[in-house]
Amino acid sequence: MCRLFGLSSAPHRTRATFWLLDAPDSLSQQSHREPDGTGLGYFTPDGAPVVHKAPVAAYQDRDFAQEARQVESATFLAHIRFASTGALEIRNTHPFEQRGRLFAHNGVIEDLDQLDDRLGPDVSLVRGATDSERFFALITQQTEHHGGDLAAGIEHAARWIAQHLSLFSLNLIITTRDELWALRYPETHPLYFLRRPAGGQHGTRHLDHSGSHGHMRMHSAHLARHSAVAVASEPMDDSPHWHMMEPGELLHVGHDLQVTRHVVLPDAPVHQLGLDDLRAEAAASQRAV
């Protein structure tokens, strides 16, 4: 089941259609937990972030989430939430926006009082109750402490959490108007990326990605003509060129689609949590992946 999906076609703006929760049959299956939230983020031509999201806490929210959304952007970020912390409210639904960046996270972080202490006055960046938004705030703080270097901000924020807090997974995607970053840490959950040439592996096809359980789908005719890089919690089509990121690896997709990859967190977390260590709600959210 896809939790995270990011795509960049920079420098080209791509018109794409997204469906989230596009599988009423799978929603009725008792073997899979129903999603608690859904969100899509992208950027206007002048670089302003736009977020459409719903907590999926009522039928009207589910109808909103299932509606096909056609948008245009050089980068996209989509997320399906299975709640581990925070009520089913819009303020707790991914993606989150800070300083013109969009963020989505897959995992669990505990000891949030210590994280709030570390944030200090920057806790004001947090509008909801989730561990994810606090993690984002720490990245924003550390990015500013490192002169606006977002890669350094991600690395230092994740390393501090790995050394001081109990965690299950820190997998994330961050997008700006023309760049994308992804982190897989530790090895708890997979995270894949795909360098897709124009037209895909056959050279003539539009993009049509769909998660294996049908909760997330993206279609773009523009990508029959333009290259792209995708990052997702699972391979989203039958291309043999999806690659699993290494544990601790930070991936960056630049404004020209150049991909750089570095293992920035080679060591295991000091306080690694397993499923049996999590609260029942948090464990259920991670089994649903």
Side-chain angles (χ1 to χ4, degrees), residues 32-53:
H32 300 290
R33 183 181 171 192
E34 294 193 8
D36 298 311
T38 177
L40 170 64
Y42 59 97
F43 292 83
T44 64
D46 62 0
V50 180
V51 177
H52 295 294
K53 56 186 179 180

Side-chain angles (χ1 to χ4, degrees), residues 23-268:
D25 289 340
S26 67
L27 284 175
S28 67
Q29 291 178 4
Q30 296 302 309
S31 60
H32 300 290
R33 183 181 171 192
E34 294 193 8
D36 298 311
T38 177
L40 170 64
Y42 59 97
F43 292 83
T44 64
D46 62 0
V50 180
V51 177
H52 295 294
K53 56 186 179 180
V56 197
Y59 285 114
Q60 58 266 34
D61 296 324
R62 193 173 302 281
D63 290 341
F64 168 91
Q66 289 177 318
E67 179 184 348
R69 299 190 174 274
Q70 186 172 89
V71 297
E72 185 175 289
S73 183
T75 61
F76 303 92
L77 178 56
H79 183 270
I80 300 291
R81 182 184 187 223
F82 293 81
S84 58
T85 60
L88 305 186
E89 301 173 357
I90 287 180
R91 68 189 184 116
N92 293 326
T93 304
H94 306 227
F96 301 104
E97 184 272 327
Q98 293 177 15
R99 304 288 197 266
R101 308 181 189 105
L102 298 177
F103 168 95
H105 165 233
N106 175 13
V108 177
I109 305 167
E110 295 191 348
D111 309 315
L112 297 186
D113 54 342
Q114 296 181 48
L115 182 48
D116 286 347
D117 289 343
R118 177 69 172 180
L119 287 170
D122 292 318
V123 76
S124 63
L125 292 165
V126 180
R127 297 181 176 89
T130 65
D131 53 346
S132 300
E133 193 179 16
R134 286 171 166 83
F135 181 20
F136 189 20
L138 186 62
I139 291 171
T140 299
Q141 177 194 80
Q142 291 301 305
T143 297
E144 294 178 357
H145 287 178
H146 290 83
D149 185 337
L150 182 54
I154 295 170
E155 177 181 345
H156 283 82
R159 179 175 292 117
W160 186 87
I161 290 174
Q163 292 174 347
H164 295 90
L165 307 184
S166 301
L167 69 93
F168 186 74
S169 174
L170 299 182
N171 285 12
L172 66 84
I173 299 175
I174 295 178
T175 55
T176 64
R177 65 181 298 177
D178 57 4
E179 296 183 82
L180 180 152
W181 287 259
L183 174 71
R184 181 189 177 205
Y185 184 78
E187 62 182 9
T188 311
H189 291 316
L191 196 59
Y192 296 85
F193 75 96
L194 171 69
R195 302 189 207 207
R196 186 183 192 274
Q201 60 177 321
H202 301 287
T204 58
R205 294 185 179 177
H206 55 245
L207 180 143
D208 196 348
H209 278 174
S210 182
S212 61
H213 291 282
H215 290 312
M216 185 183 297
R217 181 184 170 199
M218 176 191 178
H219 175 90
S220 175
H222 276 191
L223 292 182
R225 305 187 303 273
H226 299 305
S227 301
V229 177
V231 178
S233 298
E234 62 175 357
M236 296 282 283
D237 65 7
D238 61 358
S239 171
H241 301 298
W242 286 94
H243 297 283
M244 188 186 297
M245 293 173 57
E246 297 294 326
E249 181 179 327
L250 178 63
L251 178 146
H252 174 234
V253 184
H255 58 82
D256 54 0
L257 281 192
Q258 290 299 308
V259 175
T260 58
R261 303 165 57 196
H262 303 284
V263 173
V264 297
L265 296 172
D267 300 322

